[in-house]
Amino acid sequence: MMLILSIHGGLELPHEDLRAFDFGRIPHDAAAVLVKDGRVVAAIEEERLSRIKHTGKFPLHAMEFCLEQLGVTYSDIDRIVLTAREQECDLIVRDEFFYRDSLHKSTRDYLADVIDKQDGTQIDRKKIQFVEHHICHAASAHLMSGFDRSLTVTLDGESREGYAGYIISAEGDQFTVLDRIPNEHSLGAFYISVIRVLGYHPHDEYKVMGMAPYGDPAKFRRYLKKAYTLLPDGKFSINLAWSTALFEFMTPRKKGGPITQEHKDLAAALQEALETIVMHVLNHYRQATGHTKLCLAGGVAHNCSMNGKILYSGLFDEVFVQPAAHDAGNTLGAALLLSQRLDKDKGTETLRHLYWGTEIGSSDDLNDLLHQWDDLIDYEKVDDVAKSTAKLIADGAVIGWVQGRSEFGPRALGNRSILADPRPAENKNIINEMVKKREGYRPFAPSVLEEYVGDYYEMPDTKAPLSFMNFVLRTKEDKQSLLGAVTHVDGTARVQTVSKETNEKYWSLIDEFRQLTGIPVLLNTSFNNNVEPIVDSEEDAIVSFLTTNIHYLVIGDYIIKKKAISKEQYMHMVPERLIGSELKQSIGYTEDGKKQNIHEIRMHFGNKYSKVIPEAVFQMIEESDGHKPLAELVPEKPEISKDTKEIIRDTFIDLWSLRLIKLKPAK
């Protein structure tokens, strides 16, 4: 048996906050993957366990999760592989000497030390190996595509190794690099440089992709053409600084500001420019290499509108897009490539699903967990959960649906999903209001039974797996008004087909809905609010359910609904600080120059997760021990009035909704 553990992330442990400095390229989307004899047995992003979106901290929780799935320890692992070249990793380890007490001269020393502190395992440093960033991307796509040979293209923001993309001719586990795209001509960085003018930031790219169909690309086409040049032999150049020139032609937007038609027009022109450049590259290498099969990976490969254009172009016979195309997916590539090279006889498997994360508990375990929350919820175990849930959805309910193992990657594919009727167009606004709190222009995706996809969508001649929400397809004209909640303004949809073979429970739910309504489609969006990653555990789902306006929660065979309670009942809940949080007290000034005390709670990963809080709440969090309920922590002072106590209570509820603290039932 060959066990390979692959990890991606930074050096900070979950409790540490060393980022008073900036490497320039701080890791994000930390993850771990465990491969046994060429097969993925566990894969999870650190954010699902730490509950901090896009966290780039050392994936300690993710590593432990992977080991637990097979009941193994670090001493059982044959190889640990990191998703970057060793020299780049060592530079960072040595730089960290200036920010921590301990000294590590190499990544191997650092990793071995962390593992030793975890469980006392003295790991052989020769077991630690490295695979460069874009080779990881390439391997994650090619080795899971099922293709013997392919043109494999990786496109992302930038890497420590100096490149933002590789063009590769792949055959088996051999990758011949045909060209490299340097960081200064990064397509990912180009996209980000323009969306900043639209009030967006890294990780918001998909929002602008959703905005683009509302605009006219002709309005800014000639301006954007000044930012890039198409060169012979599939090459191109980009002037990343050019985006600042847009200030002369339009009114830039700040985050949260109104979105105007010119912003939509710029989004459309940006999307068109991206597609133009990528098709320029692909056209050349299709002809130069003769490859008829294409693999895509890297963060830019999450642009499913671009992917749809590639499909409909007919340039290739088959296309495979790695559904975990971002940096977390590099853990797949590193582990599978090393496995293949160490034991070619084992081979790798064609990707069929991404259900490699946390498994929900048994029926008895679920009952015990739900019982802990029964001051806030009612629940019932039903004989046919698919049939009962389908009827609720058909009657207009919005459902949180939690089944089986959680998905690896950025998209909910039917195991950690919010589901609704795909027909009423107003469902888009309803879901945004009740849970997502996101821009109204952004579309929701349809999950459609694979047997019926051709009845509702225009199928391209190019073959591609459509089960991962990787491609935007054109909705058939006569079905667009019927599927109002999952058809975008341009008549397209980011389709997920559902197979009975790979997810029978989700398939059965959609089929039950089909029998009730005649429509083999459900609206599917990720189960989370706007400040948290997709839910992972059952408790995550319960908390998200209680802090949003979703109508019902379905976990396993249990259907759960909220009780009508007073806010006062929250005072019986127990607050608990998160391991990656800190309390900060500082002196600020009012507008008239007077000093004021400022109390704040914040998460270590970036300034996005912070909140100024009343001093009394600050003190209560400081004194909380994970056992005392809020009612026992409220200061008993004459100046603490009833109104003040209500402010304290409401602040704790707000912090819980923002995932800055935990609130849990008292035992």
Side-chain angles (χ1 to χ4, degrees):
M1 179 174 71
M2 174 72 71
L3 292 178
I4 296 176
L5 179 66
S6 177
I7 60 175
H8 167 76
L11 300 181
E12 285 182 274
L13 297 175
H15 67 282
E16 293 180 322
D17 185 22
L18 307 181
R19 289 289 178 254
F21 62 99
D22 186 347
F23 283 138
R25 299 184 184 97
I26 296 175
H28 51 84
D29 299 321
V33 165
L34 182 62
V35 166
K36 174 186 174 184
D37 295 334
R39 303 292 185 268
V40 179
V41 294
I44 198 163
E45 292 189 57
E46 182 73 10
E47 69 166 23
R48 298 291 188 98
L49 304 172
S50 71
R51 308 308 300 154
I52 304 297
K53 288 175 82 168
H54 300 297
T55 182
K57 290 197 174 189
F58 188 83
L60 194 59
H61 300 109
M63 293 164 70
E64 292 172 348
F65 167 85
C66 287
L67 297 180
E68 289 168 2
Q69 302 316 294
L70 280 188
V72 297
T73 66
Y74 287 106
S75 60
D76 299 311
I77 299 298
D78 296 288
R79 297 288 189 278
I80 297 176
V81 57
L82 283 73
T83 62
R85 291 190 306 198
E86 187 169 7
Q87 53 265 50
E88 274 79 24
C89 294
D90 286 350
L91 286 172
I92 294 172
V93 167
R94 291 167 187 174
D95 203 12
E96 290 242 338
F97 164 73
F98 300 104
Y99 301 94
R100 54 168 88 237
D101 296 332
S102 55
L103 168 64
H104 298 96
K105 295 182 179 179
S106 72
T107 309
R108 295 174 191 267
D109 287 345
Y110 175 78
L111 185 55
D113 187 41
V114 170
I115 290 173
D116 181 27
K117 288 177 179 176
Q118 282 303 110
D119 68 357
T121 299
Q122 300 291 316
I123 193 165
D124 182 354
R125 284 156 172 75
K126 293 179 181 177
K127 287 185 175 183
I128 300 170
Q129 299 195 12
F130 302 81
V131 178
E132 63 179 290
H133 181 89
H134 281 282
I135 295 299
C136 291
H137 274 316
S140 75
H142 175 72
L143 294 179
M144 305 201 86
S145 68
F147 303 157
D148 295 328
R149 302 174 65 251
S150 73
L151 176 66
T152 298
V153 178
T154 70
L155 301 167
D156 63 9
E158 56 184 22
S159 70
R160 295 190 190 98
E161 292 144 2
Y163 297 103
Y166 278 14
I167 316 296
I168 288 171
S169 179
E171 185 166 356
D173 63 357
Q174 298 304 306
F175 297 87
T176 302
V177 179
L178 306 176
D179 196 13
R180 293 176 174 87
I181 301 167
N183 284 343
E184 56 264 33
H185 298 305
S186 163
L187 282 173
F190 169 55
Y191 209 88
I192 290 169
S193 71
V194 177
I195 71 173
R196 288 180 65 232
V197 182
L198 296 172
Y200 292 105
H201 302 284
H203 307 303
D204 290 336
E205 295 91 333
Y206 61 99
K207 299 179 182 180
V208 177
M209 182 185 68
M211 186 196 300
Y214 290 89
D216 178 2
K219 299 292 179 62
F220 284 94
R221 183 178 293 139
R222 68 188 182 93
Y223 298 118
L224 279 182
K225 281 186 175 180
K226 296 178 181 179
Y228 67 89
T229 303
L230 302 181
L231 302 170
D233 301 325
K235 297 181 182 295
F236 61 89
S237 65
I238 292 175
N239 179 359
L240 294 176
W242 179 89
S243 62
T244 57
L246 285 168
F247 281 64
E248 299 179 21
F249 312 123
M250 61 169 295
T251 304
R253 173 181 176 264
K254 284 194 173 182
K255 184 177 180 179
I259 295 172
T260 67
Q261 186 57 48
E262 70 173 352
H263 298 141
K264 298 173 185 177
D265 293 339
L266 179 58
L270 173 62
Q271 181 66 29
E272 181 185 75
L274 173 69
E275 293 166 2
T276 298
I277 298 169
V278 171
M279 291 305 298
H280 169 72
V281 174
L282 297 182
N283 271 296
H284 170 76
Y285 284 101
R286 168 68 179 85
Q287 297 302 317
T289 65
H291 280 302
T292 60
K293 297 177 181 179
L294 171 69
C295 291
L296 289 175
V300 176
H302 279 313
N303 192 299
C304 49
S305 294
M306 176 190 77
N307 297 341
K309 295 289 173 57
I310 294 170
L311 279 194
Y312 284 119
S313 75
L315 190 59
F316 295 89
D317 294 339
E318 295 187 59
V319 173
F320 176 82
V321 176
Q322 168 56 253
H326 57 314
D327 283 359
N330 276 7
T331 51
L332 290 171
L336 292 170
L337 183 61
L338 191 57
S339 176
Q340 177 87 335
R341 290 179 174 174
L342 291 173
D343 190 351
K344 292 183 183 295
D345 292 337
K346 297 295 183 183
T348 57
E349 59 182 335
T350 301
L351 183 65
R352 294 170 54 250
H353 66 79
L354 293 164
Y355 306 118
W356 297 318
T358 303
E359 173 76 81
I360 65 169
S362 67
S363 184
D364 288 344
D365 290 339
L366 276 172
N367 187 72
D368 291 344
L369 175 64
L370 294 172
H371 179 65
Q372 295 174 29
W373 292 85
D374 61 9
D375 285 346
L376 304 179
I377 59 174
D378 287 317
Y379 53 94
E380 175 189 10
K381 186 178 181 183
V382 296
D383 293 331
D384 190 338
V385 72
K387 192 169 193 173
S388 299
T389 305
K391 181 155 191 331
L392 291 172
I393 296 173
D395 289 342
V398 176
I399 305 291
W401 175 260
V402 176
Q403 304 292 337
R405 295 182 71 173
S406 59
E407 304 91 336
F408 182 66
R411 294 178 180 126
L413 299 170
N415 279 8
R416 301 293 187 274
S417 293
I418 293 172
L419 306 174
D421 191 329
R423 295 171 294 176
E426 59 268 22
N427 272 357
K428 289 187 285 188
N429 295 330
I430 290 171
I431 296 172
N432 274 330
E433 285 297 319
M434 66 169 42
V435 58
K436 304 298 276 191
K437 310 298 183 188
R438 65 184 199 173
E439 298 87 345
Y441 63 79
R442 287 168 51 196
F444 288 106
S447 292
V448 55
L449 298 182
E450 65 176 3
E451 299 90 334
Y452 295 92
V453 63
D455 295 340
Y456 290 82
Y457 300 97
E458 295 181 13
M459 304 302 292
D461 293 331
T462 302
K463 294 180 181 178
L466 300 175
S467 48
F468 305 114
M469 291 189 189
N470 279 335
F471 300 96
V472 164
L473 298 184
R474 295 191 288 262
T475 308
K476 288 189 172 181
E477 193 170 349
D478 63 333
K479 299 295 193 299
Q480 292 180 17
S481 60
L482 176 65
L483 300 176
V486 293
T487 301
H488 205 20
V489 64
D490 59 349
T492 64
R494 178 164 50 93
V495 173
Q496 176 204 2
T497 58
V498 180
S499 162
K500 188 174 184 180
E501 179 185 3
T502 56
N503 196 332
E504 184 174 2
K505 202 159 195 177
Y506 191 37
W507 184 95
S508 297
L509 172 62
I510 302 172
D511 193 54
E512 291 288 351
F513 184 79
R514 178 191 64 81
Q515 294 178 47
L516 289 170
T517 65
I519 307 297
V521 184
L522 285 178
L523 180 155
N524 174 16
T525 189
S526 57
F527 190 173
N528 60 312
N529 71 10
N530 62 321
V531 296
E532 65 179 340
I534 301 172
V535 302
D536 193 66
S537 69
E538 301 96 320
E539 187 164 350
D540 295 337
I542 292 169
V543 170
S544 196
F545 174 59
L546 289 172
T547 54
T548 60
N549 293 317
I550 297 171
H551 299 125
Y552 295 92
L553 172 61
V554 180
I555 308 178
D557 293 328
Y558 288 88
I559 296 179
I560 303 152
K561 61 182 180 180
K562 302 180 186 80
K563 285 182 176 177
I565 62 169
S566 69
K567 282 188 176 181
E568 200 57 35
Q569 286 181 258
Y570 286 101
M571 296 301 291
H572 301 295
M573 297 187 72
V574 175
E576 183 177 335
R577 281 184 58 185
L578 304 174
I579 193 169
S581 70
E582 69 175 2
L583 294 168
K584 289 184 66 177
Q585 186 173 0
S586 59
I587 302 294
Y589 292 88
T590 63
E591 287 185 5
D592 57 1
K594 293 181 179 178
K595 287 185 178 181
Q596 62 175 352
N597 290 323
I598 298 174
H599 299 84
E600 182 183 17
I601 184 169
R602 65 180 288 272
M603 303 303 295
H604 289 160
F605 191 69
N607 295 322
K608 178 179 178 181
Y609 302 95
S610 65
K611 180 82 172 176
V612 174
I613 54 178
E615 182 178 3
V617 171
F618 183 96
Q619 292 173 349
M620 289 172 66
I621 296 173
E622 197 172 38
E623 294 168 7
S624 63
D625 59 3
H627 300 289
K628 290 182 182 179
L630 288 172
E632 293 183 23
L633 291 169
V634 175
E636 289 299 332
K637 298 178 180 178
E639 64 268 25
I640 304 296
S641 65
K642 180 181 177 182
D643 288 346
T644 301
K645 288 181 179 180
E646 289 180 357
I647 291 171
I648 291 172
R649 177 201 66 204
D650 291 348
T651 300
F652 271 100
I653 295 172
D654 186 41
L655 294 177
W656 189 37
S657 299
L658 294 172
R659 307 296 183 260
L660 291 171
I661 62 162
K662 283 185 178 181
L663 284 183
K664 59 185 183 180
K667 292 183 180 179

